[in-house]
Amino acid sequence: MPELPEVETTRRGIAPHVLGKRVRAIIVRQPSLRWPVPDAIHACEGRKLQSIERRGKYLLLGFSNGTIIAHLGMSGSMRITAPDEPPLFHDHVDLVCSDGTCLRYCDPRRFGAWLWTTDDPALHPLIASLGPEPLTDAFNSDYLVAQAHGRKTAVKAFIMDSHVVVGVGNIYANEALFMAGIHPKRQAGRISAPRYEKLVAAIKTVLNDSIIMGGTTLRDFVGGDGKPGYFQQTLRVYGRGGQPCRVCKTVLTEIRLGQRTTVFCKTCQT
Ligand SMILES: [Zn+2]
């Protein structure tokens, strides 16, 4: 599933090719995505694409008269194709620029989204309730301590809750908790401020590392499959259940926590 770093890498990969260009047409071959692609999306035709921003895992394509809110869902990807390149079976939406450049959306499982809003996208129901961006100063230990106050939920589920902070997917939650030395099942409300400080730093590090790795795949957005490298970073615990901890050699424990695979070191994480 595309996580925040992949979405950010997608944003950086497509922007140089389409930003500032006029949209000639939106071609919808398959409107049945997670929600139907609205006819109103054609309102951007003839307008210039003024901005490409990311909020959580949503991409916001801004025009003078509205915004496309796009989401990659479970299996979506975007790539830049040549003007006359025929679409493949799962290529459901094209954004065609007046110079022929095409931003093409592929989504085999169709859980993604292409929506249109004429309001401030920050007020859209999908976006208004999102927590802060993890890589901004708004996400800090004071904030996290305040959010955690009195909460009995496991810290791993807590940091994966998009109302608390956006973009901390399962892999990143596992890795960050290991780096911070925090047991994934520890109650969120029973973790000290200094430990939350470590956790905040760890979350920023794992996400930044992944975005930096993604940066090496930016060229894949033209002529490639538009899928940024996903498992390129060396994972410390995720996918390593039953193998020795890279720090202390204890065999890593794998459990299910809130339906998600959770791997930790019972020696390093308390
Ligand atoms: Zn260990």
Side-chain angles (χ1 to χ4, degrees):
M1 190 189 324
E3 297 287 353
L4 185 146
E6 288 77 27
V7 180
E8 178 60 23
T9 300
T10 297
R11 188 186 72 78
R12 294 179 188 185
I14 62 175
H17 305 283
V18 292
L19 189 58
K21 291 185 180 173
R22 201 168 291 280
V23 172
R24 185 203 297 157
I26 300 285
I27 299 169
V28 181
R29 293 182 202 86
Q30 171 54 276
S32 301
L33 301 182
R34 178 162 182 186
W35 299 284
V37 179
D39 286 337
I41 203 164
H42 295 286
C44 71
E45 292 169 349
R47 307 275 174 154
K48 248 184 204 170
L49 178 53
Q50 295 178 328
S51 60
I52 305 180
E53 290 170 3
R54 179 189 57 74
R55 181 73 177 93
K57 297 206 293 184
Y58 293 95
L59 286 169
L60 308 176
L61 281 59
F63 298 86
S64 59
N65 62 339
T67 306
I68 293 173
I69 301 177
H71 194 285
L72 301 178
M74 306 284 285
S75 59
S77 61
M78 293 183 182
R79 68 190 195 279
I80 304 294
T81 62
D84 301 318
E85 191 173 318
L88 303 174
F89 186 69
H90 296 296
D91 289 340
H92 301 315
V93 181
D94 283 355
L95 180 151
V96 186
C97 299
S98 54
D99 69 351
T101 305
C102 175
L103 170 64
R104 184 160 280 175
Y105 179 68
C106 173
D107 187 357
R109 295 183 64 184
R110 293 197 270 121
F111 278 107
W114 277 67
L115 300 172
W116 175 255
T117 181
T118 54
D119 293 329
D120 178 352
L123 304 177
H124 191 276
L126 290 170
I127 292 172
S129 65
L130 295 178
E133 288 290 323
L135 298 175
T136 62
D137 293 339
F139 180 61
N140 56 49
S141 59
D142 288 347
Y143 166 80
L144 209 49
V145 168
Q147 287 288 311
H149 183 74
R151 291 229 203 165
K152 294 198 160 96
T153 177
V155 63
K156 179 161 178 267
F158 173 66
I159 59 171
M160 289 180 67
D161 179 350
S162 65
H163 303 296
V164 174
V165 56
V166 296
V168 184
N170 192 41
I171 295 173
Y172 304 107
N174 277 291
E175 296 294 305
L177 286 165
F178 176 78
M179 286 173 72
I182 297 173
H183 194 293
K185 285 173 83 171
R186 181 167 285 276
Q187 287 184 16
R190 303 193 62 169
I191 294 172
S192 68
R195 300 190 82 196
Y196 268 128
E197 200 155 327
K198 274 190 184 173
L199 182 57
V200 166
I203 289 170
K204 290 177 192 275
T205 298
V206 293
L207 291 173
N208 265 323
D209 285 354
S210 193
I211 290 169
I212 290 165
M213 293 304 248
T216 64
T217 68
L218 288 186
R219 62 189 160 76
D220 293 349
F221 285 89
V222 182
D225 63 2
K227 289 183 184 130
Y230 191 36
F231 282 108
Q232 287 192 334
Q233 67 175 321
T234 304
L235 299 173
R236 294 165 180 84
V237 285
Y238 187 82
R240 297 194 65 243
Q243 296 179 48
C245 171
R246 293 194 198 278
V247 172
C248 75
K249 309 291 182 221
T250 301
V251 172
L252 296 174
T253 305
E254 181 167 323
I255 58 170
R256 299 288 284 180
L257 185 59
Q259 327 286 335
R260 307 304 300 273
T261 301
T262 301
V263 185
F264 62 98
C265 173
K266 61 183 197 286
T267 304
C268 295
Q269 293 174 257
T270 58

